[in-house]
Amino acid sequence: MKRLTTIKTLIALAAFQALLLPNFILAQTAKPAQDVYAAIRKEGTENSKILNTMHYFTDLYGPRLTGSPNYVNAAKWGVAEMKRWGFDNAFLEPWDFGHPGWVSDRATGLMLSPVPDTLTFEVLAWTPSTKGTVTGDAFHLIVPTFPAASNPQVQQMPTQAELTKYLDGIKSSVNGKIVLVGKHTFIDQSRDPAPKHIPLEDAKKRFDPNSPTPEFRFPQRTPITPREGALTGAQVNEQIEKFLLDNNVLVRINESQLDRGAVRAFNNRTFDISKVVPTVVLRNEDFGRITRLLAHQTPVKLEFNLQSHIVPEGTTSYNMIGEIAGTDKKDEVIMLGGHLDSWHSATGATDNAIGCATMMEAARILKAIGVKPRRTIRVACWGGEEQGLLGSQAYVKKHFGTAEAPTAEFAKFGGYFNIDSGTGRARGLSVFGPPETATVLRDALAPFSDLGFAGVISTKSRGLGGTDSTSFNAAGLPGIGASQDPIEYFGVTWHTNVDTYERIIEDDVKASAIIFAAGVYTLAMRDELLPRFAAGSMPEAPKGN
């Protein structure tokens, strides 16, 4: 009887301890916020791993085109690194890209005559190889356009009859040639460069909830009367692609339309290499030189060797996930991340290896200083962002659904922090939700004003586009997007051949990681999840989302 009583006592004691354990954990970890913030600053400043992460993502595994082995290897390395940091879980989560991968193996291009020179270009992704080294005369194809009656400065597309007549007239001139398509772009060299930093007063105004900067609107112009029967630009290009293929053109050359040797190359819109000829994007300066020579009746001979290959297994892509497990609220999750995929013209440093490195670092800081988060902290580095936010959309759909059709995880989600505009430090945040949602983060991050952080505002927009935080917004979840100092992102590094490790500003990215670590800590530790729109006040999702 005594033994039975002892067993009952032990069972009751164990149950009592189980009830007390979460509170015990909280008592051990609930340090004053200012002490945690000081520890975050110290770790993020003195022991940062961002540049080491950047080295691997860019120098070793860049570029990271969706569907390519480089992307997969970068994601595998990121998983292994988070495990080395002591994260509780790290893995790759597959999603269906729907297209094979594509890799450029080598690409050389020369002007042979009238003067030998090396050309600066990038290959258009998902276009085929040349048949070894090909040499041909250059031809300049300029689709006829027509000035609008109401505004002669606006050029309008040809009709089908006009385009057919033009293409029929040049058939014999393009066979076996290397064809430059489109007019040369004039770039005004008198323009002042764009500012690299947001002035403090401007940042404060932009993130002041009482007087936010008015929503940007494009200048209103008098609508141009559509030209009767005119084709769209997409229709014209589709017919040109078929025309070049049918008439044995060796290489198509598009122009970069960028300044100072920068080149931005995207992809063949069909992802089908059988529907286009080998295609490159040539820097503005080389394109201009060749077309001026041709305009002066000087023959130009060019040579290209473009070799690439298709990656069939690239139809499956992956999101890279890492987790620090929560304690008493571990079934609730706070997320942070950016996209890991990049275009192929460079190593994808500012777009967006630095976003992934910054968010991995923010979570690492919390792990390193011994934070035991109440909620699970989940880092996500997405694939397929450059093709349309595909990886983050697939993830949100699978795990959370939408406000109109939620999964069980929808109610347990506490916010997703995103950064995706280069190396400039975070100057403010925009969060999807009612005004009080922004208030939570604004108050928490006010101590970081010395780092240039200006504040937080809320948004009601469920529009999809721009970056991965909008995948969450579109679903009715609190996506939290960063506004950053522009540095030279949109004007220079965005998707170009100069988007490399050298463009990273160490002090700025350290500051951003510190700010995000504090924001994640706040949401992971507070008693309640971020406020949400009530069911009756949830903004409608735009059609097509």
Side-chain angles (χ1 to χ4, degrees):
M1 185 72 179
K2 183 178 178 182
R3 185 176 177 216
L4 181 59
T5 302
T6 301
I7 292 172
K8 289 180 177 179
T9 302
L10 289 174
I11 292 172
L13 180 60
F16 181 66
Q17 287 177 331
L19 289 172
L20 288 181
L21 184 58
N23 291 327
F24 174 77
I25 292 171
L26 293 180
Q28 299 301 305
T29 59
K31 298 178 181 178
Q34 61 266 29
D35 292 348
V36 178
Y37 290 168
I40 287 172
R41 285 177 182 263
K42 181 177 175 62
E43 177 66 23
T45 302
E46 297 179 6
N47 299 313
S48 175
K49 301 296 187 286
I50 291 178
L51 293 187
N52 182 67
T53 303
M54 286 299 296
H55 164 67
Y56 283 91
F57 280 163
T58 60
D59 297 333
L60 185 58
Y61 296 120
R64 303 170 307 280
L65 192 66
T66 301
S68 70
N70 271 16
Y71 175 83
V72 176
N73 290 333
K76 286 180 178 178
W77 179 87
V79 163
E81 185 74 345
M82 288 189 285
K83 288 180 179 178
R84 285 188 285 268
W85 290 345
F87 283 31
D88 297 296
N89 197 12
F91 56 93
L92 299 184
E93 183 168 299
W95 58 274
D96 182 18
F97 179 39
H99 305 290
W102 176 92
V103 174
S104 176
D105 299 308
R106 61 167 292 172
T108 57
L110 305 172
M111 181 165 69
L112 301 179
S113 64
V115 181
D117 202 357
T118 300
L119 302 174
T120 299
F121 65 93
E122 299 294 337
V123 181
L124 197 72
W126 285 277
T127 56
S129 304
T130 56
K131 296 177 180 179
T133 299
V134 296
T135 301
D137 292 330
F139 178 84
H140 193 190
L141 185 158
I142 304 177
V143 172
T145 57
F146 304 87
S150 58
N151 185 351
Q153 293 183 336
V154 175
Q155 295 293 311
Q156 298 182 301
M157 289 289 106
T159 63
Q160 184 61 64
E162 291 163 341
L163 180 62
T164 300
K165 180 180 179 180
Y166 172 73
L167 295 179
D168 285 347
I170 62 171
K171 276 185 179 180
S172 60
S173 301
V174 302
N175 195 286
K177 303 288 178 62
I178 294 174
V179 176
L180 292 85
V181 177
K183 293 180 180 179
H184 174 242
T185 302
F186 170 75
I187 298 175
D188 186 357
Q189 296 300 318
S190 68
R191 299 176 304 175
D192 291 329
K196 296 185 179 183
H197 303 277
I198 303 171
L200 180 58
E201 289 306 311
D202 289 353
K204 288 181 177 178
K205 290 178 183 178
R206 183 178 300 180
F207 293 98
D208 180 350
N210 298 313
S211 58
T213 303
E215 182 181 351
F216 174 78
R217 296 183 182 275
F218 287 100
Q220 297 298 307
R221 298 178 179 175
T222 303
I224 301 298
T225 303
R227 187 165 183 260
E228 187 175 355
L231 300 169
T232 65
Q235 289 171 327
V236 169
N237 190 59
E238 183 178 1
Q239 293 189 49
I240 289 174
E241 287 173 344
K242 186 175 186 306
F243 171 80
L244 299 179
L245 196 62
D246 291 345
N247 288 280
N248 305 310
V249 167
L250 299 176
V251 177
R252 171 176 176 164
I253 300 176
N254 299 331
E255 195 219 329
S256 72
Q257 301 179 326
L258 300 175
D259 200 3
R260 303 179 189 280
V263 178
R264 183 178 292 141
F266 294 116
N267 63 281
N268 160 27
R269 59 184 178 76
T270 69
F271 294 90
D272 184 345
I273 65 171
S274 70
K275 293 185 177 180
V276 294
V277 299
T279 304
V280 303
V281 181
L282 188 64
R283 71 172 177 171
N284 171 269
E285 295 85 350
D286 287 341
F287 196 97
R289 181 185 187 184
I290 294 169
T291 56
R292 286 191 297 274
L293 287 167
L294 293 175
H296 282 79
Q297 309 303 313
T298 303
V300 177
K301 189 173 290 292
L302 304 175
E303 174 187 293
F304 284 92
N305 188 338
L306 312 174
Q307 301 302 315
S308 59
H309 70 275
I310 287 294
V311 183
E313 62 270 25
T315 54
T316 298
S317 189
Y318 302 88
N319 295 321
M320 183 186 84
I321 309 295
E323 292 183 334
I324 301 172
T327 53
D328 64 311
K329 293 180 178 289
K330 63 182 180 182
D331 58 334
E332 297 178 356
V333 62
I334 308 300
M335 295 186 66
L336 67 164
H339 69 89
L340 185 59
D341 67 306
S342 75
W343 288 108
H344 55 291
S345 295
T347 58
T350 67
D351 191 21
N352 184 34
I354 193 55
C356 290
T358 298
M359 296 312 210
M360 288 169 64
E361 172 72 1
R364 185 203 68 80
I365 289 171
L366 297 178
K367 184 70 177 178
I369 66 174
V371 167
K372 303 296 183 185
R374 300 180 69 186
R375 296 180 177 87
T376 295
I377 295 170
R378 184 178 298 159
V379 178
C381 294
W382 313 109
E385 192 272 355
E386 298 294 5
Q387 288 75 41
L389 317 183
L390 301 182
S392 59
Q393 284 196 76
Y395 187 90
V396 170
K397 181 179 180 180
K398 174 182 177 181
H399 288 273
F400 305 116
T402 66
E404 293 75 23
T407 68
E409 294 178 68
F410 188 91
K412 301 290 187 179
F413 180 77
Y416 165 73
F417 293 87
N418 188 79
I419 192 165
D420 183 22
S421 293
T423 189
R425 70 178 60 196
R427 302 297 303 279
L429 300 175
S430 174
V431 54
F432 177 78
E436 55 268 31
T437 307
T439 302
V440 170
L441 287 167
R442 185 184 310 113
D443 292 347
L445 297 178
F448 297 92
S449 60
D450 63 304
L451 298 182
F453 189 78
V456 185
I457 57 175
S458 62
T459 177
K460 296 180 179 181
S461 174
R462 291 180 67 180
L464 180 69
T467 192
D468 292 296
S469 55
T470 66
S471 294
F472 292 82
N473 296 5
L477 293 165
I480 307 165
S483 176
Q484 299 167 246
D485 273 334
I487 310 297
E488 295 179 322
Y489 180 66
F490 288 106
V492 178
T493 66
W494 181 66
H495 297 163
T496 73
N497 54 335
V498 293
D499 185 10
T500 63
Y501 179 101
E502 286 74 15
R503 301 299 177 272
I504 301 305
I505 300 173
E506 184 175 4
D507 287 347
D508 279 13
V509 298
K510 284 181 176 179
S512 292
I514 289 167
I515 291 165
F516 282 113
V520 170
Y521 172 79
T522 297
L523 300 193
M525 301 300 286
R526 66 193 305 267
D527 289 337
E528 303 296 334
L529 289 168
L530 273 177
R532 300 265 194 98
F533 285 112
S537 60
M538 174 66 71
E540 290 186 13
K543 293 180 180 179
N545 268 11

